[in-house]
Amino acid sequence: MAACEWVARTRKYEREKNVLPSETAIDHPLKLGSVINVDNSRKKSSTPSDSLSKGTPVADPSSLIQAKPDAFDGLDPLSMFAAQEASTKKTSSVSAPASKKEQSSSVSNKEKSQSDFKPWLKKRVGILAKYTTSQKLSISTSFLSSSEKSEKMVIKQQTTVADKVKHRLEQLDDFEEGSVKEMLNLSQQDYVKRIEELNQALITAWESDQRVKALKIAIQCAKLLADVSVIQFYPSKFVLVTDILDTFGKLVYERIFRKSSTFTPGSNIPTMLPENFTPDQVPDSAKETCRNWFYKIASVRELIPREFSQALVRLTKMIRGIGDPLVAVYARTYICRVGILVAPDVCDHLIENLFSFIVSYKQLQGDTVQNILAEQRLEMHQYLQLYPPALDWILQCIAEKSPESTLTDILNRCQKECNSALLLNSIITEFKPEYIAERALQFTELIRNCEEAGFPKHHLYKSLGMNLSQCDPPEAQRLQILSEVWKVVMKMKHPPDYIGCAEAWIEYVCKNFTKREVNTLIGDVIKHLTPERAFEQHYPQEKFLPFLDMFQKESIRVDVCKLIVEAFVKYQEEPTNDPVVVNSLLYVCKTMHDSVNALTLIDERRVIGHLITGFLRKIDFGRDFERQLDSFVDARSSFSSLEAVLVMLVQSVNLLAMKTREVVKGNHTRKTASFIRACVAYCFITIPSIDDVFSRLKLYLLSGQVAMANQALSQADAFFRAAISLVAEVPRTIEIDHKVKSSEPYLLAYMNSFFSTLLVVPDSPDQGALHLVRGLLNVVQEYTWEINSGAKMSIYLNAVCLLSAMSQEYFIYHVDKVDSNDRLYGCDKKFLAEINRLVFTLMEAVFEHLKSLTSEEELKKQAAIAIGFFNRLLCHADLSQPQLATLALNLWNLAQKHGYGNTKYTMRTLEYVKQKGSSGHKEYAAIAQKMNLQTKI
């Protein structure tokens, strides 16, 4: 098999386009707008309305994907799968049995998800993280040390009533024999572990039909809530213990709910109670079981365990009997937490719990509390910090369920009986910002006159500022509010207190006032900075840059700069060209850039580069393109060490050139042509500064395309020649996502893109015909490819396709106002002869490579190259020429010779040739008759 003279097939591109089948698209092809009903006998596609109107049986809902047109318009297949998975989960959750408590909980949670209600689960995590201790803890129980005994206990199935009574009495005797043991010197981690063991023991006892044991575990856990020996850990203890009580309550409810099921006559399938059942629907057996549980709870001697298990309204009043105010307020918290689940529409007990706390607030200053603090060596401000989680939850429940008038009643009650900073802070934190903003002036007066008593007022001013940042107060009161607050804040001496308030109020000032007030506030912050830089760790126009200069430690200054730029990129929606903003942020970005050195981590470089590019994209001078280019020149000199920024700048300048072309509609004047050359020169100078070879290759190609689109042909030629010379520097391996991969697939893709551009690039009169194609092929020939790699042959075969397209009378595409070689040469015979010689050389190289593939491992690659060459001949060669037809058959036979070809691929190729032959192409029909399929022997 030898190379022969090449004759390209004459292509009529417009006619070929018209022959291709096409149809008008009505909807987006990825839009989900139909439901597929699957039947055993047929498959039918219909709209949802049609299915319902015609009575077509519909499959299980989880098997259907029905989307609203406005919700899933243009959804991609991956999102479709995610929607299908979500639909399946939703269906399964609906079909699963759920108790009424769970149902009401889900309804309540659904309502709260639509508001700002913070669920207990989130507060729970915050409490456990905040309230910790290094002191030793103790736990009293009789169920953690008897594991061996319980393991030896044999559980038998009791069938008669007498056996059940006997078994229960044996359990009681066994539990009474075991004495309560106290575990001392437990660390916090050990304490949490023991609590978890109790929770698991309760579940195990319940599942083993040991109801009495489960009840005793719940009682002993509730007793733990009366222990305040390590008082700073009490909020976390409350969370851990009430989790066990929740588990116990759920188990009891589920048992009663299951006993409420009934059986329809003639059926053995139980019927559960409906979602909103009435007492009349509950059978007597379930009522009796429920009554028994109330009797068991009522018989508990201790007050705390009984209260955590009884009815809602009675509990609210019974808590008055708890002597310790901290234990009492957390008991009220539990009542409110359970109350919104079991009775979401009832709110009387919520207000009652708050007012009861107000009445008992004087106990916090009583002798009992003072003795506890003295014994545990705690200050009053530390003690009061234990109350906010409980008060916040109670007030959040009230704010969620009550009208605005409730806030007025609470404030009036506080003014008369308990104008406490502790309570006032929770009110400001939990009520809606709209309500707080409407009464902002009143709150400033309340804060000024409230009893501080161990709870500093800076907490209140900070909470008020955060609310007013979310919702504006009445316009007439805004300046007065700021004056009243700031004359107190500016006198604060403790750095965290002052900076915390300044951080909360700065947004309010920026939203509602001018630069004058903003500068005044920042100036006050600067005045508070001491020579020792005591405020530096708390730092959150004309005084903006001096403010940044206060950060002397480089790491802190860089972190602050990151936060500033990140906020600007995130919240600045519109582009800007304000010189003050641009210059200030350029200084900030320069600070980040200068922090990068040889030891900086790659991830850190990536983050800083991303922030700087985000800022630079926000700079827009509109139609003033020269000023825009000047800003890019300044940015290049300022951020020369970050490749991500240089790549973005080159792309931005190319975009600027294309915008210029769009403005002049491709008809450049002397001024715009000069500007285009300046843009091209910028890119040509900047690209070599980038280290990554593939980034440079892509930018050279892109910049050359932009230059050619703007009729800068000599500059485009320079870009393409630079890209060709750079191909030789491509490494054989590259690192992507910390994995070393071969660079050949990426280089092959780049070469294909380069070939598609070279089709329309006109030859330079100084360099001769096809000088860029020759130069690129010479580099490919000299490049060191991997052993047994097929990438080089793929490039050669793709180059044959390029040269075949170049030999056409009219190219398939052009660049506007650029004369390509089809117009320059007009199918000149010398030009076509040059193309044919180049193709002949490529074909010889491919044949030599095919001959060298002789080993068993290489025959599969030989078949792949042969079938690939054969398909290119089908598309681009004139097969009416006998030599080319014979060559095509030889390649086909070579691909089939050893049976290593892709069977499906070869079958589709054969079908294509036969189809072309049946459509009137005699040369294809003749080849199809001689094409045979062979298999490996």
Side-chain angles (χ1 to χ4, degrees), residues 665-676:
K665 298 180 180 180
N667 299 312
H668 285 291
T669 62
R670 179 179 298 179
K671 183 177 180 181
T672 59
S674 176
F675 178 77
I676 291 297

Side-chain angles (χ1 to χ4, degrees), residues 120 124 199 238-248 337:
W120 177 254
R124 176 186 182 278
N199 191 21
F238 168 81
V239 170
L240 296 171
V241 173
T242 52
D243 285 346
I244 299 179
L245 300 182
D246 290 341
T247 301
F248 179 69
R337 182 162 75 82

Side-chain angles (χ1 to χ4, degrees), residues 604-668:
E604 179 72 6
R605 286 175 172 267
R606 186 182 298 112
V607 170
I608 294 177
H610 176 73
L611 291 174
I612 295 177
T613 55
F615 158 67
L616 293 176
R617 289 191 179 97
K618 296 291 184 180
I619 302 176
D620 187 6
F621 293 95
R623 296 288 290 271
D624 193 348
F625 292 160
E626 292 184 353
R627 192 176 175 191
Q628 187 80 47
L629 181 60
D630 290 339
S631 70
F632 291 146
V633 172
D634 295 337
R636 181 181 60 187
S637 62
S638 299
F639 312 119
S640 57
S641 298
L642 295 173
E643 287 199 11
V645 179
L646 296 178
V647 171
M648 173 264 170
L649 289 173
V650 173
Q651 293 172 334
S652 298
V653 171
N654 282 325
L655 179 61
L656 189 63
M658 295 306 294
K659 286 182 178 179
T660 305
R661 179 180 182 275
E662 183 181 2
V663 170
V664 299
K665 298 180 180 180
N667 299 312
H668 285 291

Side-chain angles (χ1 to χ4, degrees), residues 128 131-133 135 137 186-192 233:
L128 293 175
Y131 296 96
T132 60
T133 182
Q135 297 185 29
L137 302 166
L186 296 176
S187 65
Q188 178 180 328
Q189 184 177 1
D190 293 334
Y191 187 90
V192 173
F233 185 66

Side-chain angles (χ1 to χ4, degrees), residues 851-867:
K851 292 177 183 178
S852 65
L853 302 176
T854 56
S855 66
E856 188 74 14
E857 298 177 354
E858 296 173 338
L859 292 179
K860 188 174 182 179
K861 296 179 180 179
Q862 183 189 67
I865 296 174
I867 194 65

Side-chain angles (χ1 to χ4, degrees), residues 459-476:
H459 292 295
L460 284 76
Y461 285 116
K462 182 177 180 179
S463 300
L464 181 61
M466 294 176 67
N467 274 275
L468 298 186
S469 298
Q470 298 179 48
C471 186
D472 297 332
E475 187 173 358

